[in-house]
Amino acid sequence: MTTAREIMTPDATCIGAKETILDAARKMTELGVGALPICGIDERLKGMLTDRDIVVKVLGAGNDPAQVKAGDLAQGEVVTIGADDDASEILRTMSSHKVRRLPVIDGHILVGIVALADVARALPDTKVGDLLETLSMD
């Protein structure tokens, strides 16, 4: 069976928890991505930051992106997948937590990200369709 390691985008770039939201926005622009993992100085994953988080929780709330730290937006436990977990676990986790991106960890080290697009390329259409239907429901 296909594992997370086989379909993930490797070498995910983190934004440091102490870096600003402005730094994060610049990094997203440079990398052409809409989300970045938030990592602490201990290199452990603290959360995920999305472009939507920046707009809604910072700009829309009238906060200064040059003052707000990425770590300030890391909330609760991070939903992750193990590098050697199989595709059924990826689908189950994305569906149950209604997430479109899953950080992939090996032990406690971030090794990549599985995005919905990665799943779409790697898995049969019916499984991807079921996942899309689940993620689209509110």
Side-chain angles (χ1 to χ4, degrees):
M1 171 123 333
T2 304
T3 65
R5 189 183 308 274
E6 293 170 319
I7 67 171
M8 71 182 188
T9 300
D11 303 324
T13 300
C14 283
I15 186 72
K18 297 197 183 278
E19 291 183 75
T20 69
I21 295 302
L22 185 57
D23 295 330
R26 287 181 178 142
K27 196 173 276 194
M28 284 181 184
T29 300
E30 289 169 15
L31 297 171
V33 298
L36 290 171
I38 302 168
C39 296
I41 56 173
D42 59 359
E43 295 188 20
R44 288 185 183 242
L45 189 62
K46 304 295 182 194
M48 287 291 289
L49 176 67
T50 67
D51 47 9
R52 186 176 195 289
D53 292 331
I54 293 171
V55 171
V56 173
K57 297 176 182 174
V58 179
L59 300 176
N63 296 317
D64 182 355
Q67 298 300 315
V68 178
K69 304 294 184 207
D72 295 342
L73 299 184
Q75 299 175 0
E77 188 175 335
V78 184
V79 177
T80 63
I81 192 85
D84 297 317
D85 287 347
D86 66 32
S88 62
E89 184 65 17
I90 295 167
L91 293 169
R92 187 195 66 71
T93 303
M94 284 182 149
S95 294
S96 65
H97 293 279
K98 295 201 178 224
V99 295
R100 296 171 184 267
R101 298 171 191 92
L102 275 176
V104 180
I105 57 171
D106 192 352
H108 292 288
I109 305 297
L110 179 71
V111 294
I113 293 182
V114 172
L116 188 55
D118 299 319
V119 172
R121 282 190 293 271
L123 301 180
D125 289 347
T126 55
K127 292 187 183 283
V128 175
D130 291 344
L131 175 59
L132 279 171
E133 184 176 337
T134 300
L135 293 176
S136 298
M137 297 159 80
D138 286 328

